[in-house]
Amino acid sequence: QAVALGNLSLAYQALGQWTQASAAIDQSLETLGVNQQQLDEDIVPSLSDPYLQVLVAVLDIDGQLWLRQARPEIALRRWRQSEKIYQNLQNSEGIIGSQTNQLQALQRLGLYLQADTISSSLEKQLSQVEDPLLSTQALRSLGDTYRAVGRLTQSRDILENLLADGASISQNSPTYISLGNTYLALAKRETERQVTTNQQDRLPWQCSAPFALPETAREYYKKASDTYGTAIQQTPNSQHQIAARLNQITALLESGKSDAAVQTLWLESYQLISQQQLRNRLGVYAQIKLAKQGACLKQLADDESFDWDPITKTLKQASALASELNDSVAISQSLGNLGGLYEYFSWLDTRLTKAANPWQQAALTLTVQALMAAQPSEQPDIAYQWQWQLARLKKADGQTQ
């Protein structure tokens, strides 16, 4: 019964029915005499081995549910608990699977050095893995981790070899996205080696055409765009589709392209995100990223028909979704970015006229709200950007102290 309920949760997750997925996993745990509160307090009841073998599988599914709902901190806790159980059961493939899952959660949390520590251990164990699906997932996670800690050549080699080995198409599409991300990181590194301007003088929502790119960077941007294009063609998964499209737009914009084809890709992505209505933190972040790309495209494109309205509308929708989710992190990011867009509008108006403009006060209000939502003592990695933004706004208003 517990196994069936766990698999039922997986089916609901695949359908995006989060309430039903949570209910099924809770029932599964209760059947085994465990509840979420015990797990949150890191209390795992003493069970016989047959029950532990079922519990550990349910914990893996529960972790997937939390990760898909953009709560990687809880997912990480579940997978650490499952790793301990697999160790007690002396199940080496289970340990590798749990560590692979932990890599995903650590990367989402930005804990790259911890992820790198697990990667070194994991890479040594992969030769023992017979399950091709597990091996593919582990290698992809390794590639992602190496990219995150700056080992770009190792990341590229692992991901290129993984695709050359010919995994199934369903496994290939996320690998193409990962490889595209590594090509994009390589392109950025080659570009930044040539940077001579002070990037801190530019507002976060201000976008300018790139200077002459080195040839190596151009090649990597082209590879990134093409790889994302392959992922778009191959994947039936809506979240993979959105990720590949948004990343492809980034690669095109950073390589200096802002023509009608890029505008069409942006509008298609705008419609896709509106239709899919991803009701989680990832949905909020996707809308923020799309809005920022649209703002850059608006500044670079020589086309008055490309309007600010869908850009501001996307950010407001992100803010509304974050409030609906009651997610303080997403609320802070959406409000702060809307404040950043208004800061840019204020800067534009100030260049045209010295008179007071409505954008300045609106940007100040939103930035303060974003800072309060982040709670600097609890979320310093988010709060710093709103402290910086607030300082810029105060300075622009003459309040240098």
Side-chain angles (χ1 to χ4, degrees), residues 220-232:
Y220 278 128
Y221 276 124
K222 176 72 165 55
K223 281 186 174 183
S225 179
D226 290 347
T227 305
Y228 292 135
T230 304
I232 292 168

Side-chain angles (χ1 to χ4, degrees), residues 117-136:
T117 302
I118 293 179
S119 294
S120 302
S121 164
L122 191 57
E123 194 167 8
K124 295 172 186 174
Q125 301 175 63
L126 279 178
S127 58
Q128 308 167 20
V129 177
E130 296 179 3
D131 182 346
L133 178 59
L134 177 57
S135 177
T136 296

Side-chain angles (χ1 to χ4, degrees), residues 28-275:
S28 179
L29 289 168
E30 286 168 14
T31 304
L32 297 168
V34 184
N35 59 55
Q36 293 281 2
Q37 185 175 347
Q38 288 174 311
L39 295 174
D40 288 342
E41 294 172 359
D42 215 16
I43 300 171
V44 179
S46 182
L47 300 171
S48 63
D49 282 3
Y51 273 77
L52 282 176
Q53 286 168 356
V54 177
L55 175 60
V56 76
V58 175
L59 286 175
D60 287 342
I61 294 169
D62 194 31
Q64 292 291 348
L65 176 59
W66 287 113
L67 191 71
R68 285 171 170 170
Q69 293 182 104
R71 296 297 303 276
E73 64 282 2
I74 303 178
L76 180 61
R77 188 182 305 146
R78 295 293 179 270
W79 288 327
R80 281 176 171 165
Q81 290 165 338
S82 74
E83 183 185 359
K84 287 179 184 176
I85 296 173
Y86 279 127
Q87 286 171 345
N88 291 336
L89 295 171
Q90 298 183 337
N91 183 328
S92 58
E93 286 206 351
I95 293 169
I96 290 170
S98 289
Q99 290 180 344
T100 301
N101 288 334
Q102 287 173 51
L103 283 183
Q104 297 177 59
L106 288 166
Q107 288 159 23
R108 294 275 185 92
L109 289 164
L111 301 174
Y112 300 120
L113 292 179
Q114 288 186 38
D116 192 34
T117 302
I118 293 179
S119 294
S120 302
S121 164
L122 191 57
E123 194 167 8
K124 295 172 186 174
Q125 301 175 63
L126 279 178
S127 58
Q128 308 167 20
V129 177
E130 296 179 3
D131 182 346
L133 178 59
L134 177 57
S135 177
T136 296
Q137 291 173 337
L139 286 167
R140 185 168 60 245
S141 291
L142 279 176
D144 289 340
T145 301
Y146 286 147
R147 179 180 62 253
V149 297
R151 296 198 224 167
L152 301 184
T153 305
Q154 284 173 277
S155 173
R156 180 198 62 197
D157 292 347
I158 284 174
L159 295 168
E160 285 182 344
N161 289 337
L162 184 55
L163 286 169
D165 287 344
S168 68
I169 286 179
S170 64
Q171 285 299 305
N172 269 351
S173 58
T175 305
Y176 274 115
I177 294 172
S178 289
L179 181 58
N181 293 344
T182 297
Y183 286 147
L184 188 59
L186 284 161
K188 287 182 177 181
R189 186 171 71 181
E190 292 300 316
T191 302
E192 286 168 359
R193 283 173 173 168
Q194 310 295 323
V195 169
T196 56
T197 57
N198 182 1
Q199 297 296 307
Q200 292 187 24
D201 291 339
R202 196 173 70 188
L203 298 178
W205 281 77
Q206 188 179 347
C207 194
S208 57
F211 53 88
L213 293 173
E215 187 58 34
T216 312
R218 287 191 181 282
E219 290 172 4
Y220 278 128
Y221 276 124
K222 176 72 165 55
K223 281 186 174 183
S225 179
D226 290 347
T227 305
Y228 292 135
T230 304
I232 292 168
Q233 291 170 3
Q234 285 199 0
T235 181
N237 182 297
S238 59
Q239 290 199 25
H240 291 166
Q241 272 272 346
I242 289 168
R245 284 174 174 276
L246 292 180
N247 291 356
Q248 187 179 43
I249 293 170
T250 295
L252 292 167
L253 287 172
E254 289 186 6
S255 65
K257 291 182 170 59
S258 57
D259 54 18
V262 184
Q263 292 178 40
T264 300
L265 183 61
W266 188 90
L267 290 168
E268 287 173 354
S269 302
Y270 173 77
Q271 290 165 356
L272 180 62
I273 289 175
S274 299
Q275 289 165 2

